Amino acid sequence: MTGTLGLIRLILRRDRIVLPLWILALALIPMSFVSTYGDLFPTAEARASYANNAGFITLYGSLSGTSLGEFVTWRLGFVPLMVGLIALLTVIRHTRVEEETGRSELLGSSVVGRHAGLAAALVTVFAANLILAVLIALGMHGQDLPWAGSVALGLEFASTGWLFAAVGAVAAQLTANAGTARGTAIGVLGASFILRAAGDTSGHTDGPLAWLSWLSPVGWAQRIHPYGANQWWLGGLMLAATVVLVVAAVQLAVRRDVGSGLLPARLGPAEGRLGSPLGLAWRLHRGLLAAWTSAFLLLGLLFGGVAEGVGDMMRDDPKIQEMFQRLGGAGALIDSFLVGVMTITGLIASAYAVQATLRLRAEEASGRAEPVLATATSRLRWALSHLIFSLLGPAVALFAAGAAAGIAYGLAIDDLSGQLPRLIAAALIQLPAVWLLAALTLALFGLVPQATQAAWAGPTLCLLIGLTSAGIQLAPWLKDISPF
């Protein structure tokens, strides 16, 4: 553990902009929802009517009660997932990425202990989530919500971040590749959401699979039920699971060499088969493309499957109609919902575009670009081979989401031929905004390569505007910051 404090200071120095930004953004979202949904749904009956819908239960979980605090907590169902995602990505960045680039070995040659890097990353992320929990508790109580529920809500967010930070720590020990580690940890997060969604949806319809929610850490966090039952013991269960995962990460770390993973890397062919920079880029990007496309297929099926039920609920309440029309569309209410969720899908696709573009920086920083550029390959040709996947990769993923949503919704209303092309178009119309954020990432790589991680501020800001503008009348100039 020697040198842990010094490495913590190094992490804080490197993340001095990104870390405060995501803490403040995630703390402001719950507070903005209190006044918004308090005005939209002033009575318990209106809240219960809004939440009693299979589509929303799939997305957000089951509503535990009809008080304003419980309703806002339920509506924040996606935000703990964002906390978990940021936590696991941050841990992997400061552990596996450091080893992959050789910086851990450089630091390890000084007076730095074997576990100092892992400990520094975990302590920093744990502390950041604790600060987030305190800000949420203070902010929610400042809007006249009960203290106990506000603290429980902070615990729900923080415990989710802690647990998935530990998941990221375990994933970082399993493979020598940071991309594979991210994919493994994100896969666990996605599986947790799917288990929670399947269990809650089954329970709502008295199905036999309600128990699936109890297999999901996301389900545990949501069952804390802030402002209602305040089941603190579930927070303790998540802390216990976090401790087990941290101990597992430490045990795995001592069983491998620095720079390697516990799982051996698959050997390549005896003779090289890559004859061009594009072939190499395909080899590097194909796993990422397959993972994102699969995830978008599931998203499309989910959104398309719940659209009809959402439409039935929206027709009964003019306030809900107004809110969904603000989300991104006019005309038919179901069309407003589908346009809105396709905008969210586009926002997610922008994260893929940024990640694919940042591969340029990863290849350059690791030294792998240099042997390629030592051949007859020009720097422009090398860059274009990766940019093809930054532009076409999100297009493929969005097409998959639109096609899946069109098939699911079209089959539900017996209009497959009419809905399939409409929803594919609704998905692909997001591409110019996605490509703009990819272009900004490329500009950062060209102008200030050391600051390329700041490219994540683009999708984050657009997502924050998208989440809050669904229920809040933002100033037009503020909405116009987002290309979406």
Side-chain angles (χ1 to χ4, degrees):
M1 301 292 287
T2 304
T4 300
L5 291 177
L7 292 180
I8 290 174
R9 289 195 297 270
L10 177 60
I11 292 173
L12 293 175
R13 167 69 179 172
R14 294 175 63 191
D15 290 357
R16 63 189 181 276
I17 297 175
V18 175
L19 197 63
L21 279 178
W22 75 254
I23 291 174
L24 289 174
L26 292 174
L28 287 173
I29 290 175
M31 288 182 270
S32 70
F33 276 25
V34 175
S35 59
T36 299
Y37 289 102
D39 294 337
L40 281 172
F41 307 100
T43 66
E45 291 77 11
R47 296 165 193 152
S49 175
Y50 177 82
N52 188 26
N53 175 272
F56 280 171
I57 289 171
T58 301
L59 295 175
Y60 306 125
S62 300
L63 181 64
S64 61
T66 56
S67 70
L68 178 59
E70 290 170 297
F71 184 78
V72 169
T73 300
W74 168 80
R75 188 56 182 78
L76 291 167
F78 266 122
V79 181
L81 290 171
M82 295 172 59
V83 176
L85 177 63
I86 293 171
L88 68 88
L89 290 176
T90 304
V91 169
I92 291 173
R93 177 181 176 229
H94 291 291
T95 53
R96 172 50 58 189
V97 173
E98 294 299 284
E99 290 191 45
E100 191 175 9
T101 57
R103 288 190 290 265
S104 289
E105 190 170 6
L106 177 64
L107 291 170
S109 65
S110 63
V111 187
V112 174
R114 170 68 167 154
H115 300 298
L118 178 60
L122 288 173
V123 168
T124 303
V125 175
F126 287 173
N129 280 278
L130 181 60
I131 293 171
L132 173 64
V134 171
L135 291 176
I136 288 173
L138 293 174
M140 299 298 274
H141 180 66
Q143 301 194 64
D144 299 325
L145 292 177
W147 255 122
S150 300
V151 173
L153 181 61
L155 175 63
E156 177 182 334
F157 278 52
S159 59
T160 304
W162 293 336
L163 190 144
F164 284 103
V167 169
V170 172
Q173 314 309 316
L174 296 178
T175 172
N177 182 268
T180 307
R182 293 189 193 99
T184 301
I186 293 173
V188 173
L189 180 65
S192 298
F193 170 75
I194 292 172
L195 287 171
R196 197 280 306 153
D200 285 354
T201 304
S202 180
H204 178 68
T205 57
D206 296 324
L209 300 177
W211 55 272
L212 288 176
S213 296
W214 288 100
L215 300 180
S216 166
V218 175
W220 301 347
Q222 292 189 348
R223 278 169 170 73
I224 293 175
H225 293 324
Y227 304 105
N230 290 330
Q231 299 189 84
W232 304 100
W233 68 273
L234 284 169
L237 177 62
M238 296 192 69
L239 291 177
T242 300
V243 171
V244 170
L245 288 170
V246 169
V247 171
V250 172
Q251 292 300 316
L252 293 174
V254 300
R255 296 175 182 272
R256 64 177 183 83
D257 195 8
V258 175
S260 66
L262 193 66
L263 302 177
R266 187 176 62 180
L267 296 177
E271 296 182 3
R273 299 172 183 173
L274 301 177
S276 67
L278 182 60
L280 175 59
W282 163 250
R283 178 68 179 80
L284 295 172
H285 285 270
R286 65 185 183 183
L288 190 66
L289 176 62
W292 277 94
T293 303
S294 301
F296 273 62
L297 275 170
L298 291 175
L299 271 180
L301 290 173
L302 176 64
F303 287 139
V306 304
E308 187 179 14
V310 170
D312 292 339
M313 180 272 299
M314 288 163 58
R315 292 190 183 99
D316 299 330
D317 194 324
K319 291 185 177 180
I320 300 176
Q321 296 175 17
E322 179 188 356
M323 185 187 70
F324 273 95
Q325 286 167 352
R326 287 185 206 166
L327 187 61
L333 294 177
I334 295 180
D335 286 349
S336 296
F337 170 78
L338 290 171
V339 169
V341 297
M342 285 305 165
T343 301
I344 294 173
T345 306
L347 283 163
I348 300 172
S350 70
Y352 173 28
V354 169
Q355 185 180 6
T357 309
L358 287 177
R359 187 78 198 204
L360 288 165
R361 176 59 180 168
E363 292 297 294
E364 187 179 65
S366 64
R368 292 189 294 266
E370 192 170 355
V372 177
L373 296 174
T375 67
T377 302
S378 68
R379 189 167 177 83
L380 180 60
R381 186 184 177 198
W382 167 74
L384 287 175
S385 67
H386 289 278
L387 289 177
I388 287 174
F389 293 93
S390 302
L391 301 177
L392 296 185
V396 171
L398 284 170
F399 179 87
I407 291 171
Y409 180 53
L411 291 176
I413 64 171
D414 295 325
D415 185 25
L416 180 61
S417 60
Q419 298 304 320
L420 182 60
R422 294 178 71 240
L423 284 170
I424 290 176
L428 293 181
I429 203 66
Q430 311 298 325
L431 273 176
V434 173
W435 287 341
L436 176 59
L437 293 182
L440 290 174
T441 306
L442 178 64
L444 275 175
F445 171 65
L447 297 171
V448 195
Q450 297 84 356
T452 48
Q453 289 300 320
W456 290 109
T460 302
L461 180 61
C462 293
L463 182 61
L464 181 60
I465 293 173
L467 285 173
T468 55
S469 64
I472 300 174
Q473 288 283 17
L474 295 178
W477 67 267
L478 187 57
K479 277 189 176 184
D480 290 342
I481 292 176
S482 170
F484 293 93

